[in-house]
């Protein structure tokens, strides 16, 4: 059985290849039951969550991600989310590979956002505003730059010094990068706004959106969380990674529906429809679009298969 490290994943599949792997798998599909959530009680700290996300291809490989979310890990200087991905042989069912689940999740999440942007962002989009400077931020920047001609990156964080620090790292990758404490002004000049935070209150306002902008929402994976206000949802054509997941768990969508700002019918399409050409993406240069992701087991499966296949070449 092969053990695949985070470094193996990065070395084997560059950002654009990961985007194309997801495009192929969303277009053809695989079996993906709803993920299972189990609450694990903790004494003296917030409860933890165990997640199990299986997928398989008919007459092909199968896989399952086992992940935990442990809020108390912040006091242990450990990430809250960790896990592994187990890929099973399509013929025998024997474990074929165990992959680093944290890196696989980060890379596939960024690739899903870039895949959506390839249908929804303007072709000439060159200015990316990155809201949040955690582990997802560098991956989202690289993924978006693999599908659009990103030259300028403006970073924002509640703690401005973190935005400045990451901007220096992003500059080394060849971008014109800077940190800012003025999120409103940054958004008003953006071509793509990508949000990856744990915010429970709106950060980006609809009044700030310029014509033609694409908004990418990665955080707010619970109904109680959100990164944008209702005006963003009302102003944009709305797309999601999957209808069932985003309408039940994506806080930006869920809360906008609850407030009456939008209805479920305002969700134009998902990544299945976009990749199968069942729904059109961007319709004009001036329209605003938004993509809300909460994660889908197909993405983990597609990413794991693409990594193992690349390592076998």
């Amino acid at each position: 059985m092969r053990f695949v490290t985070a470094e193996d994943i990065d070395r084997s599949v560059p950002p654009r290849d990961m985007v194309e792997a997801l495009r192929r798998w969303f277009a053809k599909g695989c079996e993906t039951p709803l993920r299972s959530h189990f609450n694990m009680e903790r004494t003296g700290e917030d409860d933890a969550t165990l997640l199990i996300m299986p997928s398989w291809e008919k007459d092909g490989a199968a896989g399952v991600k086992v992940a935990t979310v442990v809020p108390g890990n912040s006091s242990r200087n450990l990430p809250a989310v960790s896990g592994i991905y187990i890929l099973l042989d399509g013929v025998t069912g024997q474990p074929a590979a165990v992959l680093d689940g944290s890196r696989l999740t980060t890379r596939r999440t960024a690739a899903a956002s870039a895949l959506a942007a390839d249908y929804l962002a303007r072709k000439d989009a060159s200015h990316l505003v990155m809201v949040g400077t955690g582990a997802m931020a560098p991956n989202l920047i690289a993924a978006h730059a693999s599908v659009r001609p990103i030259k300028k990156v403006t970073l924002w964080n509640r703690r401005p010094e973190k935005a400045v620090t990451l901007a220096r790292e992003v500059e080394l990758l060849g971008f014109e990068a800077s940190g800012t404490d003025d999120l409103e002004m940054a958004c008003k000049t953006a071509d793509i706004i990508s949000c990856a935070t744990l915010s429970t209150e709106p950060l980006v306002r609809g009044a700030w959106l310029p014509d033609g902008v694409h908004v990418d929402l990665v955080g707010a994976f619970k109904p109680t969380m959100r990164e944008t206000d209702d005006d963003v949802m009302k102003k944009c054509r709305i797309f999601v990674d999957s209808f069932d997941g985003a309408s039940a768990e994506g806080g930006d969508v869920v809360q906008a529906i609850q407030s009456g700002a939008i209805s479920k019918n305002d969700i134009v399409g998902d990544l299945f429809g976009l990749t199968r050409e069942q729904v059109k993406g961007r319709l004009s240069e001036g329209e605003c679009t938004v993509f809300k992701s909460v994660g889908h087991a197909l993405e983990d499966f597609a990413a794991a298969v693409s990594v193992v296949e690349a390592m076998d070449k």
Side-chain angles (χ1 to χ4, degrees), residues 24-25 28-33 54-64 85 87-91 297-298 301-302 305 309:
R24 291 192 300 273
W25 279 97
K28 71 177 183 177
C30 66
E31 298 297 324
T32 53
S55 295
W56 63 89
E57 182 184 16
K58 185 179 180 181
D59 300 321
V64 60
Y85 196 89
L87 192 64
L88 309 174
D89 184 87
V91 176
L298 177 147
F301 181 67
V305 170
E309 288 180 345

Side-chain angles (χ1 to χ4, degrees), residues 150-161:
I150 303 299
K151 297 181 178 64
K152 179 180 179 181
V153 179
T154 304
L155 300 109
W156 179 91
N157 188 280
R158 293 184 191 276
R159 294 173 59 184
E161 65 273 15

Side-chain angles (χ1 to χ4, degrees), residues 157-289:
N157 188 280
R158 293 184 191 276
R159 294 173 59 184
E161 65 273 15
K162 286 194 171 185
V164 172
T165 298
L166 183 56
R168 295 194 189 104
E169 298 177 17
V170 173
E171 272 190 315
L172 297 177
L173 301 177
F175 298 99
E176 176 191 342
S178 62
T180 184
D181 58 3
D182 191 342
L183 183 56
E184 177 179 354
M185 185 56 65
C187 289
K188 287 182 175 179
T189 60
D191 298 318
I192 299 174
I193 302 169
S194 184
C195 300
T197 74
L198 297 176
S199 179
T200 57
E201 299 292 336
L203 299 171
V204 176
R205 308 282 174 177
W208 302 349
L209 302 186
D211 291 345
V213 74
H214 171 60
V215 182
D216 168 45
L217 303 177
V218 177
F221 51 86
K222 295 181 180 180
T224 55
M225 304 167 71
R226 71 185 310 179
E227 298 177 302
T228 59
D229 65 5
D230 283 352
D231 287 340
V232 169
M233 292 293 137
K234 289 193 290 186
K235 188 171 184 176
C236 297
R237 290 178 70 231
I238 304 168
F239 295 81
V240 296
D241 52 357
S242 69
F243 280 110
D244 291 341
S247 61
E249 299 179 30
D252 293 276
V253 173
V254 170
Q255 292 187 45
I257 291 174
Q258 289 175 344
S259 74
I262 64 170
S263 71
K264 282 190 177 182
N265 292 333
D266 289 314
I267 303 175
V268 177
D270 62 8
L271 287 178
F272 292 100
L274 285 169
T275 56
R276 297 171 186 179
E277 299 183 347
Q278 296 169 341
V279 60
K280 291 185 178 180
R282 174 168 290 272
L283 298 178
S284 70
E285 291 295 293
E287 75 172 353
C288 297
T289 55

